[in-house]
Amino acid sequence: MMKQTRLTQRIFLLATILASLFTLFFGIYEYRREHAFRVDILHSQLQLNNYRYEEGHGDPGIRVTVIDTLGNVLSDTEEDDVRQMSNHLQREEIQEALHNGSGYAIKRATSLTATDRGDNSRYFYSATRFGSRIVRSSVPYSAELTSSLEHDYTFLYYTVSILALIATAMYLRRRYEHSEQEKQRIKRQLTENAAHELKTPAATIEGYLETLVTHPAMPEPKRQEFLQRCHVQSRRMSQLLADMNTLSRLDEAQELPTSNTTNTSLDLVGILRQIEDETEQQFREQHMRLQINVPASLPMQGDPSLLYSLVRNIFGNALAYATGATYFRVQAQVAGDRYRLTFADNGQGVPLEHLPHIFERFYRIDKGRSRRLGGTGLGLAIVKNIALQYGGSAVAQQTPGGGLTVKIELAARNS
């Protein structure tokens, strides 16, 4: 599977490189072709002016120079004394006109008049041979002409756009592949950890049942004890599977679309009060005061089962691990379109080195104690994933004076 994935990646990379090179070379080709096309148009226009001048009605706005086949200047529309003008025989456009009948060149002006004017502009020269003489039209490479000869950058933009699209596609594909690989890694890790966690209760149940089967005459009190232990372990397995199912749902959902997740109007305070009623006796048995200080209502859109699971897991974590605590306090604040929930106890707390990890899957500070209490190691991982699904966050810190404080932030998602 891994080899096939790498082969696919290499093929995609090679195809991307070839497509990029093709697009680049095609763009360069079109860029040059467009330049040649525009130069040819201007050359044709000036050639037409040469013919008109020869017939006696050339454009007065275009400079025209008449040269014999030896390169001597016979006349110039802008030079009064052509005797001072240099021989033009070696000029590129003149040589082409002598050999091919016409020619053009782009170069800087070198005439005396141009020098006197301080004109160092570039000129476009187009020459045509008429028997024993050559007529040459020239226009300055001015802003107007520059605009006329300006390259059409459409193909350049096209090339850059295609290359940008290819680069974006490649980047997104790499992101997608990395994301998929990360998902697969998380799923493998979850499966491996789950198998490890299920092994202990499964082995325990198997051991008790095997003892019951091989000892049919076992005293009834002992039999009931073994069956009760099997029941406890089976409940632990059921809870672990339920937690894994919840995490799988959260992993597969990038957001909470109504098509995939129940999205109904609810009151978060109602969920808090429901869990308060369910756990009040348990907190009382552990000599912990349950203090709920929240607004009268916290309306939002969401999945009641997920939000119930978020709050219930935090309450359950406090009941299981807040050793020595005398209170468990719940507070809620509204900050714009966000709800900030704080759950704090004054128990033994969590050492600083463990705080960054307590939301990780199957992370336990005291593994033996957690298993004895029936914990799956997934409760706080579920809490964080649900908070993320609701555009929020989950952080843990030490309570001043001792204990653990969990802070949850949720987007209200009001309708």
Side-chain angles (χ1 to χ4, degrees):
M1 183 65 180
M2 185 63 70
K3 290 182 178 179
Q4 185 177 2
T5 301
R6 289 178 179 174
L7 178 60
T8 303
Q9 291 175 345
R10 289 176 181 175
I11 293 175
F12 177 77
L13 178 61
L14 179 60
T16 301
I17 293 174
L18 291 176
S20 300
L21 290 174
F22 172 79
T23 304
L24 181 62
F25 290 141
F26 178 74
I28 294 173
Y29 167 75
E30 288 295 339
Y31 179 82
R32 291 180 175 177
R33 191 171 72 91
E34 184 69 19
H35 174 266
F37 174 71
R38 289 180 175 270
V39 167
D40 189 57
I41 289 177
L42 182 61
H43 179 45
S44 299
Q45 291 173 345
L46 294 183
Q47 286 287 297
L48 180 60
N49 186 70
N50 291 340
Y51 279 96
R52 287 177 176 175
Y53 182 86
E54 184 68 11
E55 294 172 357
H57 49 269
D59 188 336
I62 297 178
R63 179 183 179 181
V64 176
T65 306
V66 180
I67 305 141
D68 64 20
T69 55
L70 297 177
N72 301 310
V73 178
L74 303 178
S75 66
D76 189 280
T77 57
E78 293 188 4
E79 294 284 354
D80 295 330
D81 188 0
V82 296
R83 290 175 300 176
Q84 299 183 44
M85 296 181 67
S86 62
N87 189 283
H88 283 34
L89 183 62
Q90 299 305 317
R91 300 289 181 91
E92 181 181 348
E93 69 277 10
I94 303 302
Q95 284 293 316
E96 287 190 19
L98 287 171
H99 292 89
N100 303 318
S102 66
Y104 72 88
I106 302 174
K107 55 189 176 183
R108 294 195 177 277
T110 57
S111 67
L112 292 174
T113 302
T115 303
D116 292 340
R117 291 196 307 260
D119 185 359
N120 293 317
S121 302
R122 298 175 70 197
Y123 275 71
F124 189 100
Y125 298 94
S126 178
T128 308
R129 180 174 181 176
F130 296 96
S132 61
R133 66 180 194 161
I134 297 169
V135 176
R136 185 189 71 176
S137 294
S138 59
V139 291
Y141 207 69
S142 60
E144 181 180 354
L145 181 59
T146 301
S147 176
S148 172
L149 283 178
E150 189 178 49
H151 301 307
D152 185 348
Y153 291 102
T154 302
F155 290 105
L156 182 59
Y157 296 150
Y158 167 79
T159 301
V160 172
S161 298
I162 292 297
L163 290 175
L165 286 174
I166 291 174
T168 302
M170 190 170 182
Y171 170 75
L172 292 176
R173 180 178 176 85
R174 291 297 297 268
R175 282 280 304 270
Y176 172 78
E177 289 176 350
H178 178 75
S179 176
E180 288 299 308
Q181 290 172 359
E182 182 64 15
K183 286 181 181 178
Q184 293 300 322
R185 186 192 68 79
I186 291 174
K187 287 182 178 180
R188 283 197 306 270
Q189 185 181 51
L190 180 60
T191 301
E192 292 169 0
N193 290 336
H196 178 74
E197 293 295 326
L198 288 169
K199 185 185 300 183
T200 299
T204 301
I205 293 173
E206 182 182 5
Y208 284 132
L209 291 178
E210 184 177 350
T211 301
L212 290 171
V213 170
T214 55
H215 297 80
M218 180 182 293
E220 188 61 25
K222 198 66 174 178
R223 178 183 296 275
Q224 290 300 322
E225 180 187 344
F226 279 16
L227 288 174
Q228 181 61 31
R229 291 182 179 179
C230 286
H231 177 62
V232 170
Q233 295 299 326
S234 67
R235 288 183 58 186
R236 179 184 170 190
M237 292 177 68
S238 296
Q239 184 61 51
L240 178 59
L241 293 171
D243 286 349
M244 288 175 58
N245 181 59
T246 301
L247 279 174
S248 295
R249 288 172 56 199
L250 295 170
D251 285 340
E252 292 172 0
Q254 298 299 320
E255 52 186 11
L256 290 175
T258 54
S259 58
N260 295 331
T261 306
T262 303
N263 196 36
T264 59
S265 298
L266 57 88
D267 188 349
L268 192 55
V269 171
I271 293 176
L272 287 167
R273 294 301 182 188
Q274 176 186 347
I275 297 173
E276 177 187 15
D277 292 339
E278 294 173 357
T279 60
E280 188 174 14
Q281 181 59 35
Q282 292 173 277
F283 279 103
R284 189 179 296 115
E285 291 173 356
Q286 296 195 28
H287 308 290
M288 294 173 64
R289 295 190 312 276
L290 185 56
Q291 303 171 350
I292 309 291
N293 181 18
V294 296
S297 177
L298 293 172
M300 62 185 297
Q301 296 285 323
D303 184 335
S305 65
L306 285 181
L307 292 168
Y308 174 89
S309 180
L310 180 148
V311 178
R312 189 66 176 83
N313 273 293
I314 297 177
F315 272 64
N317 190 75
L319 285 168
Y321 304 111
T323 305
T326 59
Y327 69 79
F328 180 66
R329 183 178 299 138
V330 180
Q331 295 177 305
Q333 294 177 325
V334 180
D337 62 348
R338 307 185 78 77
Y339 296 151
R340 292 173 180 169
L341 308 178
T342 303
F343 305 85
D345 65 67
N346 62 341
Q348 66 178 4
V350 174
L352 281 174
E353 65 269 21
H354 293 289
L355 280 177
H357 306 288
I358 65 173
F359 292 105
E360 296 176 5
R361 302 172 188 202
F362 296 107
Y363 188 84
R364 293 185 175 95
I365 299 173
D366 184 344
K367 296 182 180 180
R369 182 167 182 267
S370 177
R371 289 195 176 94
R372 286 195 304 273
L373 294 171
T376 64
L378 296 174
L380 291 182
I382 290 174
V383 168
K384 183 170 185 177
N385 275 269
I386 294 175
L388 292 174
Q389 289 296 321
Y390 280 86
S393 60
V395 296
Q397 56 189 228
Q398 291 181 329
T399 304
L404 177 68
T405 296
V406 176
K407 293 185 176 181
I408 303 297
E409 185 172 295
L410 303 172
R413 296 178 181 259
N414 288 321
S415 56

